[in-house]
Amino acid sequence: MFLAWKEIKHAKGKFSLIISVVVLVGYLVYFLTSLAYGLASSYTNGVYAWNADNIVLTSDSNDNIMMSVMTDEQYDDVDATEKARLGLFPAVISDPSAAVVDDTKEEIYAFGIDNGSFIAPSLALNDNEVVADSSLKELGYDLGTVIRVAGTDIDWTIIGFEESRTYQTAPILYMNIATWMDYRFNRATIPLDLFSAVVTQGETLTANTDLKIYDIQDFVGNLPGYSAQVLTFSIMIGFLIFIIAFVLGIFIFVLTIQKTSMFGVMKAQGISNAYIGGSVVMQTLIITGIGVFGGLLLTLVSGYFLAGIVPFAINPLFYAVITAAFFVFSAFGGLFSVRAVLKIDPRIAIG
């Protein structure tokens, strides 16, 4: 440790460049991880907020909840510890009272729920009242704002906000199931009680062959683009970690070769291979540690300033795994340099 740190302090310029590279690549990995997790979370926040185990759709919906249309009779055919009706359909909303209405247009997902069900928000919802995702505040929406649904004469009033309520990256608006049916099916002309799905907790059974039960994780995995996005980012981040460890190993190896004569003198003085090799590995870990935590700090600062602008989210578990991977791969890279140290002949090195 002493030898490794002493050399870093002695050659500040050289090691500063190496550490800068590690900081920037570490920053890239952590930042991409936060973006990937934030984007994935924005797909599923509204789903995981249910704290549900299963969801029941019609068999003909082809795993697509917006193609699923269920009746109250089918709802009665579902047997579960807890169950709740859910209506889901997209919409475009705007604030007709805004100075520039177009600036307030936003794509949302309308969630129809039964008041008092386990998936309902904390506020009871009367007809034409909604609880919205808090991200709509950035567009000027506030408590009491009357919003207009594009292409209709329907108005909804915001009575509350909840944090992190998004579905497929779009904000969610919760409303009672009757309000949702009026929007989705225009019940003024077609007086039908229809909805999209049944969300359940506990063991879920049904004898109705027209219905299909999905585990929540399976349902999330079938969301359009979700699995491909998660897989793409995971592979990208994995390769980045491997590449920076490889690059760092090359840096340390080159530095070790440059110090051949110095190591030769140390060996001639009786300093063991274990001590010299340990200092090389320790130097690698010190550089990695400073670089990785510098990159992590830059990521947290960036996240603070980019909150609400991009889908940025922090996951301590992911950060811990990535940090551990950096240290493990970098240590392996340092071991290649140790091999070079072991082969040094003091007589040849000293010349």
Side-chain angles (χ1 to χ4, degrees):
M1 178 70 176
F2 172 78
L3 179 61
W5 183 244
K6 195 75 173 176
E7 186 181 1
I8 290 174
K9 290 197 297 182
H10 176 71
K12 295 184 181 69
K14 179 168 57 178
F15 283 100
S16 294
L17 290 175
I18 298 174
I19 291 172
S20 297
V21 172
V22 181
V23 168
L24 291 175
V25 178
Y27 174 51
L28 178 62
V29 172
Y30 286 120
F31 190 72
L32 281 178
T33 300
S34 297
L35 287 179
Y37 179 64
L39 189 58
S41 298
S42 67
Y43 262 73
T44 60
N45 282 330
V47 175
Y48 288 133
W50 298 334
N51 293 318
D53 297 311
N54 300 282
I55 186 168
V56 183
L57 308 178
T58 57
S59 301
D60 294 334
S61 65
N62 194 31
D63 307 335
N64 189 333
I65 189 171
M66 285 188 290
M67 295 295 103
S68 176
V69 179
M70 297 179 64
T71 64
D72 286 335
E73 288 76 14
Q74 290 172 318
Y75 173 80
D76 293 334
D77 290 337
V78 177
D79 184 20
T81 306
E82 291 283 345
K83 61 181 182 178
R85 295 188 296 173
L86 172 71
L88 188 152
F89 207 69
V92 175
I93 62 170
S94 63
D95 180 1
S97 65
V100 183
V101 176
D102 284 349
D103 289 347
T104 65
K105 286 184 177 179
E106 182 73 2
E107 295 181 14
I108 61 94
Y109 278 94
F111 275 28
I113 50 87
D114 286 312
N115 284 316
S117 67
F118 72 91
I119 64 172
S122 55
L123 295 174
L125 294 162
N126 297 319
D127 290 347
N128 298 317
E129 291 181 343
V130 299
V131 170
D133 175 59
S134 59
S135 64
L136 289 178
K137 291 180 181 179
E138 297 168 15
L139 295 176
Y141 291 91
D142 207 344
L143 290 176
T145 299
V146 176
I147 57 181
R148 175 69 50 85
V149 182
T152 73
D153 57 357
I154 296 175
D155 289 336
W156 297 327
T157 303
I158 297 177
I159 65 167
F161 290 95
E162 292 204 355
E163 296 288 335
S164 300
R165 294 295 186 269
T166 53
Y167 178 79
Q168 289 190 230
T169 73
I172 291 172
L173 278 119
Y174 293 97
M175 58 197 68
N176 67 36
I177 197 74
T179 299
W180 182 86
M181 290 176 186
D182 289 341
Y183 159 63
R184 174 68 175 89
F185 298 110
N186 190 14
R187 289 200 306 164
T189 57
I190 308 176
L192 297 175
D193 287 344
L194 302 173
F195 51 96
S196 302
V198 178
V199 183
T200 66
Q201 286 182 333
E203 184 180 4
T204 304
L205 301 170
T206 182
N208 191 329
T209 56
D210 292 330
L211 302 179
K212 187 174 180 180
I213 301 170
Y214 296 83
D215 178 86
I216 285 295
Q217 293 298 333
D218 293 336
F219 173 72
V220 167
N222 287 326
L223 292 177
Y226 178 79
S227 296
Q229 165 199 293
V230 170
L231 181 60
T232 299
F233 274 103
S234 298
I235 292 174
M236 185 187 305
I237 292 166
F239 271 105
L240 278 174
I241 295 173
F242 174 77
I243 289 169
I244 185 56
F246 182 73
V247 171
L248 183 59
I250 292 175
F251 282 154
I252 298 299
F253 181 77
V254 171
L255 289 175
T256 302
I257 297 303
Q258 290 176 341
K259 295 180 291 185
T260 299
S261 59
M262 182 185 76
F263 287 143
V265 172
M266 293 174 67
K267 281 190 170 186
Q269 292 176 334
I271 299 176
S272 66
N273 282 330
Y275 182 84
I276 298 173
S279 70
V280 171
V281 174
M282 185 59 65
Q283 192 173 83
T284 304
L285 295 178
I286 290 174
I287 293 171
T288 302
I290 296 173
V292 164
F293 288 110
L296 181 57
L297 179 61
L298 285 177
T299 301
L300 296 177
V301 171
S302 299
Y304 176 80
F305 288 104
L306 292 175
I309 300 174
V310 296
F312 185 96
I314 293 172
N315 187 314
L317 177 60
F318 288 173
Y319 284 177
V321 170
I322 290 171
T323 301
F326 266 121
F327 278 103
V328 169
F329 284 118
S330 297
F332 277 118
L335 290 176
F336 285 106
S337 300
V338 172
R339 249 184 102 194
V341 171
L342 297 177
K343 292 180 179 180
I344 294 174
D345 187 326
R347 293 172 300 174
I348 297 175
I350 297 171

